[in-house]
Amino acid sequence: MTAALQSDHPPEGGWTTDDLDGMPEDGRRRELIDGVLLVSPSPTRVHQTIAGRLMVALEEDCPDDYDVTQAVEVRINRSRSFIPDVLVTTSAAAMRQPSRYEPHEVVLVVEIVSPSTRSIDRVLKPALYAQADIPFFWRIEVEDDGLVVHTHKLDPVNQVYAETGRWTKFVDTGEPFPVNLPVSRLTPRHL
């Protein structure tokens, strides 16, 4: 355990990925934003059902040069580290059996919005993923009348995402690979 964890205060200069490496495997989701440690509780059943169903659906259509996984860390730099809910990486990166990915190995990140992380998932993470040049970003929202999948593509010149679709019935996109997915397939039974 790192010295920083033995105190009530963060280390001087902020938390780093080295500090993350020394933290216990206790089921908490730990992410870094510019040296600030964010600790989230385990996701809800609804959240995990959506993530699991999306991962399986994407895996079915995934070409051989990509790989689909969920909740694996993306280390953007020494003071920024995120754990997307679902991600698509290059198959070359996945073959090394990583416990984390570098941004250049990631093709798509998906965040499922939770009430406690709404602003982070809608605003902050997309901005930082775009700055890290991750080509595609999807955001899934649970609304009163069901799920909405927002798809985005990176504008590499301005390092921001441009929305490519707002899907309530089918996600029908050709990027990062052809996907034609009924949103009902992602929706938990009770919604």
Side-chain angles (χ1 to χ4, degrees):
M1 189 176 297
T2 64
L5 289 176
Q6 297 172 4
S7 161
D8 288 339
H9 304 287
E12 190 171 321
W15 297 95
T16 68
T17 53
D18 291 339
D19 296 314
L20 285 180
D21 290 340
M23 293 183 184
E25 294 290 330
D26 58 6
R28 291 188 176 97
R29 185 175 287 206
R30 293 180 176 89
E31 298 175 297
L32 289 177
I33 298 178
D34 298 333
V36 174
L37 180 65
L38 301 177
V39 182
S40 302
S42 295
T44 65
R45 186 192 67 76
V46 168
H47 183 282
Q48 290 304 87
T49 299
I50 295 167
R53 289 179 177 195
L54 178 61
M55 187 181 109
V56 168
L58 288 176
E59 180 66 25
E60 289 174 2
D61 293 328
C62 186
D64 291 342
D65 48 344
Y66 296 125
D67 185 73
V68 182
T69 191
Q70 78 184 84
V72 178
E73 180 183 7
V74 177
R75 285 212 173 157
I76 295 174
N77 60 36
R78 193 164 152 74
S79 65
R80 288 185 186 162
S81 177
F82 297 120
I83 302 173
D85 296 314
V86 176
L87 57 160
V88 175
T89 67
T90 65
S91 60
M95 286 192 325
R96 65 180 174 80
Q97 299 296 319
S99 59
R100 66 184 67 93
Y101 289 99
E102 300 293 319
H104 70 275
E105 299 172 315
V106 180
V107 178
L108 165 68
V109 290
V110 180
E111 294 291 348
I112 300 164
V113 176
S114 297
S116 63
T117 60
R118 201 172 292 127
S119 296
I120 292 169
D121 294 339
R122 289 179 179 165
V123 180
L124 188 58
K125 281 187 176 181
L128 298 177
Y129 287 141
Q131 286 178 6
D133 292 323
I134 295 173
F136 299 96
F137 171 76
W138 292 7
R139 186 181 78 245
I140 299 177
E141 304 250 3
V142 178
E143 296 185 356
D144 291 338
D145 53 347
L147 298 184
V148 179
V149 180
H150 301 266
T151 57
H152 301 82
K153 181 178 181 176
L154 181 66
D155 169 353
V157 173
N158 296 308
Q159 287 189 307
V160 297
Y161 287 112
E163 188 170 72
T164 58
R166 183 181 183 280
W167 313 94
T168 57
K169 301 291 182 206
F170 286 89
V171 178
D172 187 7
T173 181
E175 299 176 307
F177 51 84
V179 175
N180 189 336
L181 173 65
V183 173
S184 61
R185 185 166 174 204
L186 307 178
T187 306
R189 291 179 187 168
H190 81 279
L191 289 181

Coordinates of all heavy atoms in Angstrom, one line a residue, residues 11 21 63 117:
P11 N -1.4 12.7 -1.8 CA 0.1 13.0 -1.8 C 0.3 14.4 -2.4 O -0.5 14.9 -3.2 CB 0.6 11.9 -2.7 CG -0.5 11.4 -3.5 CD -1.7 11.6 -2.7
D21 N -1.7 1.8 -8.7 CA -1.1 0.5 -8.7 C -1.0 -0.1 -7.3 O -1.0 -1.3 -7.2 CB 0.3 0.5 -9.4 CG 0.2 0.7 -10.9 OD1 -0.9 0.5 -11.5 OD2 1.2 1.1 -11.5
P63 N -15.1 -7.2 -36.0 CA -14.2 -7.8 -36.9 C -12.9 -8.3 -36.2 O -12.6 -7.8 -35.1 CB -13.8 -6.7 -37.9 CG -14.3 -5.4 -37.3 CD -15.3 -5.8 -36.3
T117 N -22.7 10.2 -11.5 CA -21.6 10.6 -12.3 C -22.1 11.3 -13.6 O -21.4 11.3 -14.6 CB -20.7 9.4 -12.7 OG1 -21.5 8.4 -13.4 CG2 -20.1 8.8 -11.5

